[in-house]
PDB file of all heavy atoms in Angstrom:
ATOM      1  N   SER C  41       0.472  38.599 -12.269  1.00 94.00           N
ATOM      2  CA  SER C  41       1.089  39.738 -11.618  1.00 94.00           C
ATOM      3  C   SER C  41       2.072  39.281 -10.529  1.00 94.00           C
ATOM      4  O   SER C  41       3.328  39.777 -10.587  1.00 94.00           O
ATOM      5  CB  SER C  41      -0.009  40.555 -10.837  1.00 94.00           C
ATOM      6  OG  SER C  41       0.442  41.787 -10.246  1.00 94.00           O
ATOM      7  N   ASP C  74       1.980  46.795  -7.344  1.00 94.00           N
ATOM      8  CA  ASP C  74       2.362  45.442  -7.515  1.00 94.00           C
ATOM      9  C   ASP C  74       3.894  45.321  -7.453  1.00 94.00           C
ATOM     10  O   ASP C  74       4.458  44.387  -6.967  1.00 94.00           O
ATOM     11  CB  ASP C  74       1.934  45.005  -9.057  1.00 94.00           C
ATOM     12  CG  ASP C  74       0.441  44.783  -9.097  1.00 94.00           C
ATOM     13  OD1 ASP C  74      -0.174  44.598  -8.031  1.00 94.00           O
ATOM     14  OD2 ASP C  74       0.015  44.996 -10.272  1.00 94.00           O
ATOM     15  N   ASP C  91       1.738  48.925 -11.561  1.00 95.00           N
ATOM     16  CA  ASP C  91       0.459  48.100 -11.423  1.00 95.00           C
ATOM     17  C   ASP C  91       0.345  47.274 -12.741  1.00 95.00           C
ATOM     18  O   ASP C  91       0.214  47.890 -13.832  1.00 95.00           O
ATOM     19  CB  ASP C  91      -0.764  49.001 -11.381  1.00 95.00           C
ATOM     20  CG  ASP C  91      -2.069  48.234 -11.136  1.00 95.00           C
ATOM     21  OD1 ASP C  91      -1.961  46.904 -11.179  1.00 95.00           O
ATOM     22  OD2 ASP C  91      -3.099  48.740 -10.964  1.00 95.00           O
ATOM     23  N   PHE C  92       0.617  46.088 -12.712  1.00 96.00           N
ATOM     24  CA  PHE C  92       0.500  45.183 -13.829  1.00 96.00           C
ATOM     25  C   PHE C  92      -1.022  44.927 -14.174  1.00 96.00           C
ATOM     26  O   PHE C  92      -1.710  44.836 -13.183  1.00 96.00           O
ATOM     27  CB  PHE C  92       1.220  43.848 -13.681  1.00 96.00           C
ATOM     28  CG  PHE C  92       2.763  43.898 -13.474  1.00 96.00           C
ATOM     29  CD1 PHE C  92       3.301  43.792 -12.200  1.00 96.00           C
ATOM     30  CD2 PHE C  92       3.537  44.269 -14.509  1.00 96.00           C
ATOM     31  CE1 PHE C  92       4.627  43.869 -11.995  1.00 96.00           C
ATOM     32  CE2 PHE C  92       5.004  44.405 -14.417  1.00 96.00           C
ATOM     33  CZ  PHE C  92       5.493  44.140 -13.100  1.00 96.00           C
ATOM     34  N   LYS C  93      -1.322  44.950 -15.435  1.00 95.00           N
ATOM     35  CA  LYS C  93      -2.641  44.516 -15.842  1.00 95.00           C
ATOM     36  C   LYS C  93      -2.474  43.441 -16.864  1.00 95.00           C
ATOM     37  O   LYS C  93      -1.648  43.614 -17.833  1.00 95.00           O
ATOM     38  CB  LYS C  93      -3.372  45.706 -16.391  1.00 95.00           C
ATOM     39  CG  LYS C  93      -3.541  46.874 -15.663  1.00 95.00           C
ATOM     40  CD  LYS C  93      -4.715  46.683 -14.717  1.00 95.00           C
ATOM     41  CE  LYS C  93      -4.631  47.619 -13.602  1.00 95.00           C
ATOM     42  NZ  LYS C  93      -5.229  47.031 -12.284  1.00 95.00           N
TER      43      LYS C  93
ATOM     44  P    DC E  23      -4.855  44.603  -8.745  1.00 62.42           P
ATOM     45  OP1  DC E  23      -3.405  44.230  -8.957  1.00 62.42           O
ATOM     46  OP2  DC E  23      -5.418  45.846  -9.341  1.00 62.42           O
ATOM     47  O5'  DC E  23      -5.751  43.452  -9.343  1.00 62.42           O
ATOM     48  C5'  DC E  23      -5.321  42.122  -9.324  1.00 62.42           C
ATOM     49  C4'  DC E  23      -6.329  41.251 -10.007  1.00 62.42           C
ATOM     50  O4'  DC E  23      -7.649  41.325  -9.287  1.00 62.42           O
ATOM     51  C3'  DC E  23      -6.829  41.742 -11.456  1.00 62.42           C
ATOM     52  O3'  DC E  23      -5.701  41.236 -12.384  1.00 62.42           O
ATOM     53  C2'  DC E  23      -8.151  40.990 -11.602  1.00 62.42           C
ATOM     54  C1'  DC E  23      -8.646  40.943 -10.145  1.00 62.42           C
ATOM     55  N1   DC E  23      -9.858  41.795 -10.053  1.00 62.42           N
ATOM     56  C2   DC E  23     -11.156  41.320 -10.248  1.00 62.42           C
ATOM     57  O2   DC E  23     -11.122  40.071 -10.560  1.00 62.42           O
ATOM     58  N3   DC E  23     -12.144  42.095  -9.982  1.00 62.42           N
ATOM     59  C4   DC E  23     -11.968  43.372  -9.470  1.00 62.42           C
ATOM     60  N4   DC E  23     -13.062  44.020  -9.347  1.00 62.42           N
ATOM     61  C5   DC E  23     -10.638  43.879  -9.421  1.00 62.42           C
ATOM     62  C6   DC E  23      -9.581  43.121  -9.634  1.00 62.42           C
ATOM     63  P    DC E  24      -5.597  42.073 -13.713  1.00 62.42           P
ATOM     64  OP1  DC E  24      -4.422  41.649 -14.320  1.00 62.42           O
ATOM     65  OP2  DC E  24      -5.792  43.545 -13.433  1.00 62.42           O
ATOM     66  O5'  DC E  24      -6.862  41.351 -14.250  1.00 62.42           O
ATOM     67  C5'  DC E  24      -7.510  41.830 -15.251  1.00 62.42           C
ATOM     68  C4'  DC E  24      -8.834  40.933 -15.371  1.00 62.42           C
ATOM     69  O4'  DC E  24      -9.718  41.366 -14.260  1.00 62.42           O
ATOM     70  C3'  DC E  24      -9.426  41.219 -16.698  1.00 62.42           C
ATOM     71  O3'  DC E  24      -9.909  40.168 -17.319  1.00 62.42           O
ATOM     72  C2'  DC E  24     -10.480  42.198 -16.348  1.00 62.42           C
ATOM     73  C1'  DC E  24     -10.933  41.688 -15.024  1.00 62.42           C
ATOM     74  N1   DC E  24     -11.703  42.808 -14.174  1.00 62.42           N
ATOM     75  C2   DC E  24     -13.044  42.533 -13.911  1.00 62.42           C
ATOM     76  O2   DC E  24     -13.517  41.542 -14.184  1.00 62.42           O
ATOM     77  N3   DC E  24     -13.681  43.537 -13.206  1.00 62.42           N
ATOM     78  C4   DC E  24     -13.156  44.726 -12.928  1.00 62.42           C
ATOM     79  N4   DC E  24     -13.735  45.602 -12.196  1.00 62.42           N
ATOM     80  C5   DC E  24     -11.706  44.953 -13.239  1.00 62.42           C
ATOM     81  C6   DC E  24     -10.994  43.961 -13.876  1.00 62.42           C
TER      82       DC E  24
HETATM   83 MG1  LIG F 303      -2.259  44.904 -10.965  1.00 62.42          MG
END
Side-chain angles (χ1 to χ4, degrees):
Chain C
S41 185
D74 292 336
D91 184 357
F92 295 108
K93 300 278 161 212

